[in-house]
Structures are given as structure tokens and as C-alpha cells.
Amino acid sequence: MTSFEDCSLAIPQQQTARAEINVADLVAEHSALLFRVAHSVLRSRSDAEDVVQDAFVRVLEHRGRLSEIRDMRVWLVRIAWNLALDRRRRVRPDQMDAIFVQTLVGNDLPVDERLAEARQMEIVLKEMERLPRSERHVLLLSTMEELQIAEIAAVVGRSASAVRALLYRARTRLRQRIGGGQ
Amino acid sequence: MTRGDGIERVLRGLGQVEVPPDLERQVLRRTRGHTAAAGAWRRSVWVFGLAVAAGAAVVGAGVWEVGVRGRDAVPADVKELRVPVSLSPVLAAPPAATTRAPLLRTAKVGSAPPVARALRCASALGGRGWLSRAGSSAD
């Protein structure tokens, strides 16, 4: 019979250490991007932080198959993106925007100008919510400077040319709607 | 500022949002906790598997929990793990397996010899420990 030396912490310890090293490297390399991706959907810092944590827990749950993943960055972004979309279903858009808008408005402006700017940003965000879903998704992902068109295409499951077309349509539609409101 | 500027500012703001300075630490803390829990689960499955493979007679009724404290394999911010373990492989383990670990200082578990031996083996599993009925409080 196998002794208890063999069923001590030795086996899990090795696995645990290996998993932690890998995850630590991944966290260092990708957590900022995942945070921005989640924040673009949720526009809430605390919710975005939760999504990043959840994304890396998913990584741990799949750590036995990490070597099979061809593009780790796209895979991670897709996890964070889907987690953020899931969480987003429980949040009303008007609850998300007030705090985020304040971060965009210059503090050095007079109060009346700050209010006008904040109002304008809220209109933009509201119009973004009204875009067709596929256009809104690629528009949000395109705000991440780190992501190439091909990577966005992989995240949303479209071709690169389709993503370019959706992006063009989203920007055009947004400008028309906001311009029409002037 | 024009309306068009507003669009670009919003998009730029979304893409360049400031990342919390302690984000990595948060994530690692959460994943370490998850890893520790997963490790405990693997151990419990393995030990139960050992019992089946050995065909050992179950001495003492039921399944017990062995608490494990204070080993390097457990991340610093995880204070406690509970590892379900069948009494049968514990009792069948050779005495040499228990000599590596320090003697148990826990004395609240009763004096029955099977329990005492099980506790020594729990010690080999991970330092100081205790036994309690599964589902009951181990403290």
C-alpha cells in the first residue's frame, strides 16, 4: 500500500506552485487590458475589478488545458468580455454613466461648462447604447489601443473585414445621431 | 468643444481608463484562495481513491474531516483548509509515515487509539490538525 508520504501535500504542492507561477505571469501581463475591456462594458471600476478576478479564476479552472490555447491574450479578453456582458445584463445604463462621465470632464472648467460637457458625454454614451449590438461591441473593443482588428474579430467571432465594416457603420451612425440632435 | 469631439473623448476615455494600482494584488489574492481550495479538493479525492484501491477495512464509522494548518503549500492568506479523509487509509498507514511531522498538540479530539493515530497521520498530511465528524464544526 502506498504510504502517507505519498499522499502528503507533495503532489498538490507542485501543481499549485506551477499554477500560481503561470497565473502570476498572466496577471502581470494582461490584467490591465482585461480591466479596460470590462470597464468599457460596465463603466464601473468595482465591477470591472470583479470581472478581472473572475476571469483569472476561470483561467485556473482551465489550467490543465492552457497549453492548448493558441492566442492567450485573445482568449483572456474573450473571457473578460463575456463575463462583463453577463454582468452588464444586471445593470441599468443610466446607473453606470454618471461617475464615469465625471472622470472625462475637466475639473479646471467653470461649473456651467462642466455641466454642459457632462451632459454631452452622457448623450454620447446613451447613443452608444442605442447602436445595434454588433456595432456597439466592436466600437467598444476598438477603444482598446492594444487590440488589433484581427484580435477584435477573434473575440466577437467575426472576420476582420466584417469588424472593419461594423466599426465604420457604428462611427457613422453615432455621428449622424448626435449630429442630428444639434 | 464640438459634438464630434465628445464622441472621440468618450471613446478615448473608455480605452484609456486608469487601472487600479493594486489590481494585480487583488487578482493574485483571489486566485491563491481558489488554488488552495482546489488543492484541498484534489487531496480529498486522492485519499479516498487510496482507500478504495487498498481495499482497506473501514475501522471506525463514517467519514471524517482532517483540518490542516500552517504549511507552506497553503498561501499565507488562507487560514484553514479542511480535507475530507476516510479513516480506513489513515489507520492502515505505516507508522513511519507519521514521523516526519511534529507531534500533534491538539488534544480536544478524544483519546480513542484510532482517532489518535488518525491525527498523527493528519499531521503527516499537513501539520497540526484535528478530526471531527464530516459536516460538524471542526473547531
Side-chain angles (χ1 to χ4, degrees):
Chain A
M1 181 179 161
T2 312
S3 81
F4 257 79
E5 294 291 330
D6 297 323
C7 62
S8 70
L9 298 174
I11 294 171
Q13 189 174 15
Q14 288 166 357
Q15 291 173 346
T16 302
R18 194 161 55 237
E20 285 198 52
I21 289 167
N22 288 340
V23 170
D25 290 346
L26 291 175
V27 169
E29 191 174 348
H30 300 293
S31 58
L33 173 61
L34 300 196
F35 176 83
R36 282 194 286 271
V37 166
H39 187 276
S40 74
V41 176
L42 295 162
R43 303 203 281 277
S44 155
R45 297 180 70 82
S46 57
D47 282 338
E49 287 170 11
D50 286 348
V51 164
V52 177
Q53 292 179 22
D54 289 345
F56 283 104
V57 167
R58 295 285 174 94
V59 170
L60 281 174
E61 289 169 353
H62 293 87
R63 62 187 172 281
R65 299 184 357 229
L66 290 184
S67 59
E68 299 168 16
I69 295 163
R70 280 187 301 174
D71 190 331
M72 182 60 70
R73 192 160 82 138
V74 166
W75 185 69
L76 288 170
V77 169
R78 194 187 297 140
I79 292 174
W81 175 251
N82 287 327
L83 287 171
L85 291 178
D86 283 346
R87 187 175 283 248
R88 170 62 195 277
R89 295 192 183 102
R90 304 194 293 268
V91 185
R92 283 181 17 221
D94 56 337
Q95 291 177 322
M96 309 185 311
D97 293 339
I99 297 172
F100 173 62
V101 160
Q102 292 307 315
T103 67
L104 300 179
V105 177
N107 286 327
D108 51 343
L109 296 174
V111 174
D112 56 339
E113 288 184 36
R114 281 166 53 190
L115 286 173
E117 273 201 9
R119 173 79 183 130
Q120 192 174 22
M121 303 292 180
E122 284 173 2
I123 290 170
V124 173
L125 289 166
K126 201 165 285 182
E127 289 300 334
M128 283 174 62
E129 294 304 315
R130 291 182 55 219
L131 288 173
R133 188 171 58 182
S134 53
E135 292 179 17
R136 186 173 69 247
H137 286 181
V138 296
L139 185 64
L140 290 175
L141 287 167
S142 75
T143 64
M144 311 297 136
E145 289 179 357
E146 304 100 314
L147 287 180
Q148 307 295 316
I149 290 289
E151 291 176 311
I152 295 172
V155 171
V156 298
R158 303 262 189 157
S159 68
S161 57
V163 166
R164 283 194 194 90
L166 285 167
L167 195 52
Y168 176 78
R169 283 208 295 273
R171 284 179 172 275
T172 304
R173 200 188 302 270
L174 200 54
R175 289 211 166 80
Q176 285 171 349
R177 285 181 178 175
I178 291 174
Q182 279 183 320
Chain B
M1 188 175 69
T2 67
R3 297 278 187 185
D5 289 335
I7 296 172
E8 293 310 318
R9 282 181 67 174
V10 166
L11 295 178
R12 202 166 47 241
L14 286 170
Q16 297 176 357
V17 68
E18 189 183 339
V19 176
D22 64 340
L23 180 65
E24 284 183 30
R25 191 169 53 82
Q26 282 183 40
V27 174
L28 289 175
R29 191 169 56 214
R30 168 90 180 271
T31 52
R32 280 190 191 117
H34 179 87
T35 305
W41 182 81
R42 276 198 302 274
R43 276 199 295 283
S44 70
V45 169
W46 202 88
V47 172
F48 278 119
L50 180 69
V52 172
V58 175
V59 182
V63 175
W64 299 68
E65 285 182 330
V66 176
V68 179
R69 287 186 203 260
R71 288 292 295 254
D72 291 341
V74 183
D77 54 351
V78 176
K79 300 298 182 198
E80 177 179 296
L81 290 174
R82 291 181 185 181
V83 185
V85 57
S86 164
L87 269 180
S88 52
V90 172
L91 295 170
T98 67
T99 58
R100 178 169 64 105
L103 286 176
L104 278 171
R105 282 178 285 170
T106 307
K108 291 173 60 181
V109 291
S111 58
V115 175
R117 276 195 74 184
L119 274 174
R120 284 201 297 277
C121 291
S123 176
L125 273 172
R128 289 187 300 167
W130 63 90
L131 288 181
S132 66
R133 286 282 181 188
S136 65
S137 168
D139 293 323

